[in-house]
Amino acid sequence: MQTKKTQTARMTAADILVELYRDRKPVKSIFDRQVARYEFGTKDRNLAMQIVYGVLRNREMIDRMITLLSRTPLKKLDPFVHQSIAAALFQVFFLDRIPDSAAVNEAVTGCKIKKLPKRLHGFVNGILREAIRQGETLTAKGAKDSTGALLTNHPRWLVDRWQKQFGRSQTLQICQANNLEPGLTLRINSQKISRESFCRRLAEGDIEYEPGRYCDQAVRLKHFRGAVSAIPGYGEGCFQVQDEAAQLATMLLGPFVKGGCYLDGCAGLGGKTSHLLEFAIEHDLKIHCVEPEEFRLKKLAENIERLFPGQQLLKTVRGSLYLLDSSAPFRYDGILIDAPCSGTGVTGRHPDIRWNRRPEDILSYQQEQQRLIDHGAALLKPGGILVYATCSLEPEENIEVVTRFLRDNSDFTLTDCAPLLPARARNLVKNGYFHPLPSPDIDGFFCARIRRTKTA
């Protein structure tokens, strides 16, 4: 049994990868549980995270390198041996600050601590020493499959899907963007501080930053790997972590009706809910939100209290959107439904998604999305706005859901997203839909803005 003393960040990374590949659970839940178990400090936690997420973003290439180095097929390798080698190869070929010898020694030591047979200690050592000896030659060979085709580090079924939808060139760009380590994007709380003042605080703290590309409230930290709570202004509620795509999505509920009431129908951790509260203060709005999961509800409450302590504008309901009675006379001026989805637009930020998803998952999500948009629309006032959003790239979850809804509901009309967005973000609108593809600047996302034209 490993103790807190013997368990290292590198060994924990291998353990997390073993569990992830075995159970297909979200990597974050596995990571948080494993790291908490050994009470890692910030440095070790960050290293473990960098290795785990790095291996996931480069999984196909790393496995190809192992195949080139080993006569034993991947499927026959001991799972911990497989992932220890993968973690070490990532350190050797993708990280600069870790000596090759340290990566090798840690992998071998991990096998000893796990009490694996001695022959496997020598096997791991031999594979990694040979990888270092081959160096760039191995990197070049590992970037291509057995036919000489360039690897994408994405499952074949997903690449095939995207090629049919976007073409080969655009698909390769999406995959390349997904394989980069993303920066951290913040939304500045304009009720607390201006972006200029916040950036001055970052500069004083020697934190490298750049303004967001699309949103006036966005700031990007390209190389920040510390705890978010260590960023200046966190405790004061000066910012919320939120990608620019999600920031832009909330704007689509505008122009806001003074004194109106707006609903976040799938609140999650409260990123969009807190953004709506900024608009609520400016326009004298009331905000309602619903969230069924207790853990998320707790985090939502913590985020809202940090950003807007003592606020009285938000009503939170524990439960799903279906708890709200569509037959009741009360109606909302605007509703945001950020629906549960396959998440294929954010597989750069959450690289486990690409390996955990299966083709059949997409239609399962579609069924729930159709139920949510139908129920949400029934809660909307005549003239009100419904924004349907996902972080998926798949047409079944996006355009097909909206097309079916509009076909069955003649009192709703699709409106153009572009006029509601900053001028520099309008090129992300296609056929009236807000639909950015994954890039180094923004997550993949989809939004449709729908107006209710008359009483049903």
Side-chain angles (χ1 to χ4, degrees):
M1 179 178 178
Q2 290 79 251
T3 66
K4 294 175 183 178
K5 185 175 181 180
T6 60
Q7 186 79 6
T8 66
R10 297 176 178 92
M11 192 189 307
T12 300
D15 282 337
I16 291 167
L17 290 165
V18 169
E19 185 174 349
L20 174 70
Y21 289 11
R22 183 186 66 223
D23 297 337
R24 284 181 57 203
K25 293 179 180 177
V27 67
K28 188 178 186 305
S29 61
I30 298 172
F31 181 90
D32 288 346
R33 174 169 45 77
Q34 288 271 16
V35 169
R37 180 181 178 187
Y38 298 107
E39 300 179 1
F40 285 155
T42 300
K43 183 178 179 181
D44 284 338
R45 179 187 174 88
N46 289 345
L47 176 58
M49 177 174 284
Q50 194 173 15
I51 293 171
V52 169
Y53 282 63
V55 169
L56 291 174
R57 291 190 184 98
N58 298 279
R59 170 177 161 177
E60 198 173 27
M61 179 178 177
I62 289 173
D63 278 354
R64 174 65 177 158
M65 294 166 77
I66 297 173
T67 299
L68 291 168
L69 293 164
S70 170
R71 290 194 294 265
T72 304
L74 288 176
K75 289 184 178 180
K76 292 189 176 181
L77 287 177
D78 175 271
F80 184 80
V81 167
H82 180 183
Q83 301 311 328
S84 289
I85 294 173
L89 288 175
F90 175 75
Q91 294 168 71
V92 169
F93 290 99
F94 294 90
L95 296 183
D96 296 328
R97 68 183 188 276
I98 296 176
D100 293 348
S101 58
V104 175
N105 292 338
E106 280 272 7
V108 174
T109 299
C111 292
K112 293 177 181 177
I113 292 174
K114 294 287 185 181
K115 300 189 184 314
L116 296 177
K118 287 187 178 181
R119 61 180 175 80
L120 293 180
H121 308 172
F123 174 79
V124 170
N125 183 67
I127 290 288
L128 294 176
R129 297 293 178 189
E130 180 61 18
I132 294 167
R133 188 188 69 78
Q134 292 189 25
E136 292 183 4
T137 301
L138 180 63
T139 303
K141 290 180 179 178
K144 298 178 180 179
D145 66 17
S146 57
T147 70
L150 191 68
L151 296 175
T152 62
N153 289 302
H154 287 69
R156 185 74 253 168
W157 71 269
L158 194 54
V159 173
D160 288 345
R161 267 185 146 267
W162 290 347
Q163 286 189 157
K164 289 177 184 177
Q165 185 179 358
F166 304 116
R168 178 166 175 75
S169 177
Q170 185 69 71
T171 296
L172 289 177
Q173 290 180 42
I174 290 171
C175 292
Q176 289 165 2
N178 286 343
N179 295 337
L180 299 174
E181 183 177 357
L184 185 68
T185 303
L186 311 178
R187 188 192 77 244
I188 306 310
N189 182 355
S190 61
Q191 298 299 318
K192 292 286 184 73
I193 194 170
S194 69
R195 184 166 72 172
E196 293 72 21
S197 296
F198 180 76
C199 288
R200 282 196 294 271
R201 293 186 67 174
L202 292 177
E204 291 167 0
D206 292 325
I207 297 175
E208 185 179 352
Y209 70 90
E210 63 183 18
R213 181 171 179 179
Y214 302 106
C215 300
D216 291 337
Q217 291 174 263
V219 174
R220 296 184 69 227
L221 311 184
K222 296 183 69 173
H223 306 296
F224 185 82
R225 291 199 182 94
V228 171
S229 58
I231 298 172
Y234 174 82
E236 302 159 58
C238 292
F239 67 86
Q240 172 72 23
V241 175
Q242 189 177 48
D243 185 76
E244 288 195 72
Q247 296 183 38
L248 292 166
T250 312
M251 297 179 188
L252 297 175
L253 279 174
F256 292 95
V257 178
K258 187 174 178 62
C261 190
Y262 290 78
L263 170 69
D264 186 347
C266 302
L269 301 181
K272 296 181 186 66
T273 305
S274 64
H275 199 183
L276 282 173
L277 279 172
E278 289 192 57
F279 292 116
I281 294 169
E282 295 174 18
H283 300 282
D284 189 29
L285 310 177
K286 293 291 184 183
I287 307 298
H288 295 179
C289 72
V290 293
E291 170 54 45
E293 292 188 16
E294 184 176 356
F295 173 79
R296 288 184 175 184
L297 205 62
K298 179 182 177 183
K299 289 296 182 183
L300 183 153
E302 291 173 357
N303 279 327
I304 297 301
E305 181 61 23
R306 179 176 60 84
L307 294 161
F308 304 102
Q311 60 77 34
Q312 300 295 317
L313 301 175
L314 176 66
K315 176 183 176 181
T316 302
V317 176
R318 181 183 176 185
S320 74
L321 183 66
Y322 307 118
L323 281 180
L324 303 183
D325 186 0
S326 60
S327 66
F330 180 80
R331 292 288 184 271
Y332 290 96
D333 294 279
I335 299 173
L336 173 63
I337 297 178
D338 187 2
C341 69
S342 64
T344 57
V346 293
T347 187
R349 198 170 301 283
H350 305 285
D352 54 313
I353 286 175
R354 69 184 82 169
W355 307 116
N356 283 347
R357 290 289 177 263
R358 297 293 182 267
E360 57 270 22
D361 294 339
I362 292 170
L363 290 180
S364 296
Y365 280 112
Q366 184 192 61
Q367 293 171 5
E368 177 62 12
Q369 291 153 359
Q370 289 176 341
R371 290 181 63 213
L372 284 167
I373 194 172
D374 287 343
H375 193 83
L379 300 167
L380 195 66
K381 283 182 181 178
I385 299 297
L386 184 147
V387 173
Y388 171 78
T390 76
C391 54
S392 168
L393 302 184
E394 313 316 312
E396 294 93 333
E397 301 182 82
N398 297 333
I399 292 174
E400 289 185 18
V401 170
V402 175
T403 299
R404 194 276 315 165
F405 172 78
L406 293 173
R407 183 194 67 215
D408 295 345
N409 297 273
S410 59
D411 54 326
F412 288 82
T413 303
L414 184 71
T415 72
D416 187 3
C417 289
L420 281 300
L421 300 177
R424 55 191 177 277
R426 290 173 188 169
N427 66 327
L428 302 175
V429 176
K430 301 173 182 66
N431 300 319
Y433 300 109
F434 172 60
H435 195 19
L437 300 180
S439 77
D441 299 313
I442 196 167
D443 287 343
F445 216 79
F446 174 89
C447 288
R449 186 177 185 271
I450 302 169
R451 181 186 296 276
R452 188 168 198 170
T453 56
K454 61 182 180 180
T455 303

